[in-house]
Amino acid sequence: MKPADYKATLSFSNGSASVELPVYQGTIGPDVIDIRKLYAQTGMFTYDPGFLSTASCRSAITYIDGDKGELLYRGYPIEQLATQCDFMETCYLLLYGELPNAKDKQNFTRLVTMHTMVNEQMQFFLRGFMRSAHPMAVMTGLVGALSAFYHDSTDINNPKHREIAAIRLIAKLPTLVAMAYKYSVGQPYIYPRNDLSYAGNFLHMMFATPCEEYKVSPVLERAMDRIFILHADHEQNASTSTVRLCGSSGTNPFAAIAAGVACLWGPAHGGANEAALNMLYDLQKAGGVAKIGEFIKQVKDKNSNVKLMGFGHRVYKNYDPRAKLMQQTCNEVLDELGLHNDPLFALAKALEKIALEDDYFVSRKLYPNVDFYSGIVQRAIGIPVSLFTAVFALARTTGWIAQLDEMIGDAEYKIARPRQLFVGTPQRDVKPIAQR
Ligand code: SDX
């Protein structure tokens, strides 16, 4: 680590000796106080459940300014990447730090394309699940199971192993997600096609059948590609932190990514897009726009435990830039499909408008996040609600892998092992059972 830019002094009101702590400045964003020696110097830990004020690592991949509503992948604004690049260029950028030129892009895309098939044995894992199993339960199993097939690339400390594992994961996730979908609807699996784009291939594996040719719609292909770009990475969110912590034990990349899939499943995180759409469905069934006022009242009532899913964010205290882009994509797809009067989209826009005028949300800086509109777009494309988070995991795999690779490549990384504030019972002796 470079020398401190300046120092912080920690003093105590109980007369304990004060300590000086180094402070580092990043390229942009908040400075950090280095507390690595705090325990040695003071015998004390810091306390930050949920890590609201804790930087777990140094990273050069993604930067978020929550107040300005800015998201940068390797310095490029998400608005520019989502409109001027495609997902393969974004993957290359996240993994290698620079946007590819035409030749690099062609080579990278070809490399990914040549790894899209999975071992035929993978089908037998699926057979173990009920057809009604939640796709994220299936995906957690399938991604972890990949480590059983690639013993040639499980040494996380070998850069070559990490690179081929990254390509395999980016290439095979769409195939696995599509297989999970086909299994759930009882249709035959559709093999990947090397003549299609990454997004086009995913749509083909999802919706083609052996009975007739499936033509990929360029608008849906572009929308799918943009959904992948918008979900590709997001700094040290819960699932990325899970991947980093899991990978810090030296486990193989497939196991670490499977841990990320499991974490993303939660409704407070990647599961929010599924929860947001179900919330809109329920609101529509209850009476639609006319019932929004009643619903908002429920959300404000702490005892109701009802949240406005797809709203709020730990970091964005202004509009999530991805939500704006997702709403635009929504418009394009619904127009293309002649669904511009889609009642659910109209309901979502009405709900957003009312929420953004209500002081409860404004005072808590609650704005739509990436999950608020992504469900409506995916539903319009024909993706079932239960598969939304699996699509999120497909896209976020690139970010997870880039972050894992950065951590392993950082000479300072150690196995992650947080401490605690112990509030349990001090030592005591076991009594014989007759005396308990
Ligand atoms: C993702 O971290 C990432 O970057 C995640 C992600 C990524 O790309 O990886 O961006 C993807 O996970 C997006 C977030 C998806 N989750 C949801 O949409 C679920 C609904 N949102 C909430 O669960 C919540 O907003 C969180 C979990 C996203 C953030 O919660 P925080 O930062 O811990 O904030 P909080 O829970 O402390 O809320 C502050 C206040 C509370 O009210 P008060 O106690 O102050 O009175 O806001 C309220 C909360 O009750 N609140 C909400 C709300 N979110 C927060 N009230 C109603 N509806 C909501 N959605």
Side-chain angles (χ1 to χ4, degrees), residues 320-341:
D320 180 337
R322 302 168 298 175
K324 273 201 186 84
L325 290 158
M326 199 60 85
Q327 194 190 66
Q328 281 165 18
T329 306
C330 226
N331 272 317
E332 287 160 21
V333 169
L334 294 173
D335 281 349
E336 165 71 11
L337 298 175
L339 298 172
H340 34 271
N341 297 325

Side-chain angles (χ1 to χ4, degrees), residues 234 268-269 302 308 310-311 313-314 322 364 369 371 396:
H234 214 238
H269 190 15
K302 291 285 177 210
L308 186 49
F311 260 67
H313 199 275
R314 172 62 55 76
R322 302 168 298 175
R364 288 170 177 77
N369 58 51
D371 293 309
R396 186 55 56 90

Side-chain angles (χ1 to χ4, degrees), residues 134-136 264-267 269-282 309-310 371-372 374-376 378 384-390 392:
H134 193 287
M136 286 302 275
L264 187 74
W265 190 359
H269 190 15
N273 52 19
E274 178 179 354
L277 201 84
N278 287 331
M279 171 190 76
L280 290 170
Y281 275 143
D282 293 347
M309 299 313 280
D371 293 309
F372 190 62
S374 73
I376 301 171
Q378 293 187 70
V385 181
S386 63
L387 206 75
F388 288 174
T389 310
F392 192 155

Side-chain angles (χ1 to χ4, degrees), residues 10 53 62 93 127 135 166 209 230 239 258 272 277 284-285 288 294 300 305 313 327 348 359 362 373 403 423 426 435:
L10 182 60
S53 302
T62 295
L93 173 67
R127 282 189 194 163
T209 67
L230 295 178
S239 53
L277 201 84
Q284 192 178 40
K285 268 196 296 253
E294 206 176 300
K300 293 180 188 176
N305 254 339
H313 199 275
Q327 194 190 66
D359 185 55
V362 177
Y373 287 104
Q403 298 271 354
V423 293
Q435 293 176 29

Side-chain angles (χ1 to χ4, degrees), residues 2 4 15 33 68 85 100 117 122 128 158 190 199 240 290 310 318 334 344 372 401 411 419:
K2 65 188 177 81
I33 301 169
K68 294 185 196 154
C85 299
M117 278 210 297
M122 288 302 276
N158 178 330
I190 298 296
T240 298
N318 194 322
L334 294 173
L344 224 51
F372 190 62
I401 274 285
R419 302 304 301 272

